[in-house]
Amino acid sequence: MMNNQSLSHSAAVHRPRVSVLLGLLLAAVLTFGLPLGAYAAGPGSEGEGTGNNPAQPATAQQDAQAQALEIAAEGAVLYDVTHNRFLYEKNADTHFYPASTTKLMTALLVAERCSFEDTVTFSETAVSRLESGAVTLKVKAGDQFSVKDCMYGLLLKSANEVANGLAEHVGGSIEGFAGLMNQRAAALGCTNTHFVNPNGLNDPQHFTSARDMALIARAAFENETVRQIASTLKYSFPASKSVPSVRELTMGHKMLDPSRAEYYPGFVAGKTGFTSLAGNTLVTCVEKDGVRLIVVILKSRQTHYADTKKLLDYGFAAAAASQGAAGPLGGQNTQGMAVGREAYPEVEGTWSETAQGWQFIKKTGGYARGETFRNNGRVYGFGTDCYMLTGWHLVNGTWHYFDANGSMAFGQWIETSGLWYYVDANGSLFVNGTTPDGYRVDANGVWIR
């Protein structure tokens, strides 16, 4: 898959009345009531406008603004997942070594093809096919661990022999798994990526581009399993015959940890990487006010966190300015873009109330976070802080209304600050048209007298 580009080695029925909508984002601040049933959906679910549709490249103006940001890394992109567009590019299609950000593709394939309860038995090849100095968990041939434990070892510790073991478990061999990686990358629209191993250790035929890695990261973080693991601070990796003690793994991505200076509010998931040839690589996904951004940094020399922060700050400022220009609910008619109530998956679990509000603990383990689903037939949303949503919120780029009990509204009028808005049968804000009961609404979704 090499092309003529060289690999960089330096590398909510009442009659409504009208007005102007202001401050719906503020109305989205969490005000929780006692849950009456099931909760659902959050911004982290499979999003409209992503899929396999090609993302829009940065415009010339955006490119000029990007240059003004003075990003030090050799390769970088800022990808607006919510609107499927690139806001910033620097050598976006140049080949770079991805280092351990490779493991996002590995994790995605494992999550799509395996059960957490599967057992991985490590071969001699898996534990020995490593380069000197490679990060490991000291797993030995014959050791057995669950896929769940291995996934945490893969994404938190970034253990390279664990990547090999998972690859052999899924693909039969490291080479077989690499073939699956390349097929999945192509299906995601990647055109400048070729994988030869599951861990990202140095190889001249193992490369990606910043743009391609953003597409891979989007898919990885849309997967609930991968997203949950890649946003975990700590995990206890079990003992084995080789290492008879529990190992406490800590996420290497500093933007997840509130105790660190690099912490960034709204962190969804991420992955770090480093090799001698790749330099520092970093993939970061953050969501704020219903807008999800992904930043990819490749071939950095210790500027990866500073560069990422600059791009995230720029992206969220641009999103806020864009919403302000068109009105908080401005945009095209989204009727039919969202999915209906029954399309949201039914999820079992238990509710938990804290001083901050309601959370949902899934039967499979872990808190609902940044996602949408049904519970007892009602749809609920959860922010990236794991708390139930109420009020107006952007979910995958479409405005939805969650009542005081957290349930998403479908096919009804909603009064907000004396203004009336209609959400259609899919739960989406209706704009620029005539509602089923015969009322006109403007581009902001406000009823026109």
Side-chain angles (χ1 to χ4, degrees):
M1 289 183 62
M2 291 290 287
N3 62 16
N4 60 0
Q5 291 177 291
S6 62
L7 180 63
S8 173
H9 290 271
S10 61
V13 174
H14 300 286
R15 178 185 295 267
R17 62 180 188 273
V18 70
S19 158
V20 180
L21 175 62
L22 294 172
L24 280 187
L25 277 174
L26 295 178
V29 173
L30 300 178
T31 51
F32 303 97
L34 179 66
L36 298 180
Y39 286 54
S45 302
E46 302 291 327
E48 291 79 12
T50 57
N52 292 321
N53 297 325
Q56 297 301 311
T59 63
Q61 179 182 8
Q62 289 167 343
D63 186 59
Q65 291 171 330
Q67 293 179 18
L69 289 174
E70 298 182 354
I71 299 303
E74 294 188 21
V77 295
L78 168 63
Y79 177 42
D80 179 345
V81 182
T82 302
H83 302 99
N84 194 31
R85 59 186 179 182
F86 286 92
L87 302 179
Y88 176 88
E89 302 175 16
K90 180 177 180 180
N91 297 324
D93 298 308
T94 299
H95 295 167
F96 291 98
Y97 291 113
S100 284
T101 59
T102 296
K103 296 181 174 80
L104 290 176
M105 176 59 87
T106 301
L108 177 61
L109 285 175
V110 173
E112 291 176 339
R113 293 168 178 262
C114 294
S115 165
F116 256 22
E117 287 70 43
D118 287 356
T119 297
V120 178
T121 301
F122 285 80
S123 70
E124 182 62 37
T125 300
V127 301
S128 63
R129 193 162 160 179
L130 305 168
E131 65 185 45
S132 176
V135 174
T136 72
L137 276 168
K138 303 186 184 303
V139 175
K140 302 299 181 183
D143 280 351
Q144 293 184 322
F145 298 96
S146 68
V147 166
K148 177 181 178 180
D149 291 330
C150 289
M151 287 281 275
Y152 280 95
L154 176 77
L155 294 179
L156 272 65
K157 180 64 174 180
S158 203
N160 292 290
E161 86 280 32
V162 171
N164 286 342
L166 285 168
E168 290 184 342
H169 180 75
V170 174
S173 66
I174 292 175
E175 291 77 12
F177 187 79
L180 295 176
M181 296 173 76
N182 290 322
Q183 291 174 23
R184 192 69 173 93
L188 291 173
C190 298
T191 57
N192 289 291
T193 293
H194 186 255
F195 295 123
V196 298
N197 63 60
N199 45 43
L201 294 177
N202 294 321
D203 187 294
Q205 297 302 310
H206 188 94
F207 56 85
T208 192
S209 68
R211 190 192 309 280
D212 283 2
M213 184 53 67
L215 301 180
I216 293 168
R218 177 190 68 192
F221 300 148
E222 285 176 349
N223 183 283
E224 181 182 352
T225 297
V226 178
R227 185 173 67 247
Q228 178 180 328
I229 297 172
S231 61
T232 299
L233 269 177
K234 297 180 180 181
Y235 184 78
S236 297
F237 193 83
S240 66
K241 291 182 180 179
S242 302
V243 183
S245 61
V246 174
R247 284 150 283 185
E248 296 298 329
L249 310 184
T250 303
M251 167 61 77
H253 201 304
K254 298 177 182 179
M255 286 183 157
L256 171 63
D257 189 348
S259 69
R260 304 193 66 106
E262 294 88 355
Y263 172 69
Y264 204 99
F267 185 93
V268 173
K271 185 70 187 78
T272 61
F274 176 82
T275 68
S276 56
L277 297 180
N280 298 108
T281 63
L282 191 67
V283 176
T284 308
C285 182
V286 175
E287 188 169 308
K288 179 181 178 183
D289 295 335
V291 176
R292 176 172 290 191
L293 302 178
I294 288 175
V295 173
V296 176
I297 299 295
L298 297 175
K299 192 60 177 179
S300 165
R301 299 173 182 83
Q302 299 298 320
T303 66
H304 44 312
Y305 285 107
D307 286 344
T308 297
K309 184 180 186 302
K310 284 182 183 179
L311 290 174
L312 289 171
D313 288 348
Y314 165 75
F316 287 123
S322 176
Q323 289 178 353
L329 300 182
Q332 64 180 12
N333 193 327
T334 57
Q335 185 177 26
M337 291 178 63
V339 293
R341 185 197 303 267
E342 296 306 314
Y344 291 95
E346 180 77 18
V347 175
E348 296 182 2
T350 59
W351 288 94
S352 175
E353 186 179 22
T354 73
Q356 287 74 41
W358 287 93
Q359 296 179 309
F360 188 84
I361 305 171
K362 301 177 184 178
K363 185 178 181 179
T364 55
Y367 287 89
R369 178 183 184 185
E371 56 188 299
T372 57
F373 55 77
R374 283 180 297 138
N375 175 256
N376 296 328
R378 296 187 180 187
V379 180
Y380 298 87
F382 296 87
T384 55
D385 59 358
C386 299
Y387 284 101
M388 180 187 81
L389 303 177
T390 62
W392 290 100
H393 282 272
L394 273 171
V395 176
N396 298 316
T398 303
W399 285 95
H400 295 263
Y401 183 81
F402 299 87
D403 66 24
N405 293 308
S407 180
M408 185 188 288
F410 292 86
Q412 66 188 85
W413 288 94
I414 307 292
E415 183 181 19
T416 302
S417 300
L419 313 178
W420 288 91
Y421 307 87
Y422 185 81
V423 291
D424 63 24
N426 292 320
S428 301
L429 177 72
F430 188 93
V431 300
N432 278 337
T434 302
T435 64
D437 52 354
Y439 296 98
R440 290 281 300 170
V441 295
D442 65 17
N444 288 327
V446 180
W447 173 60
I448 304 171
R449 286 185 181 275

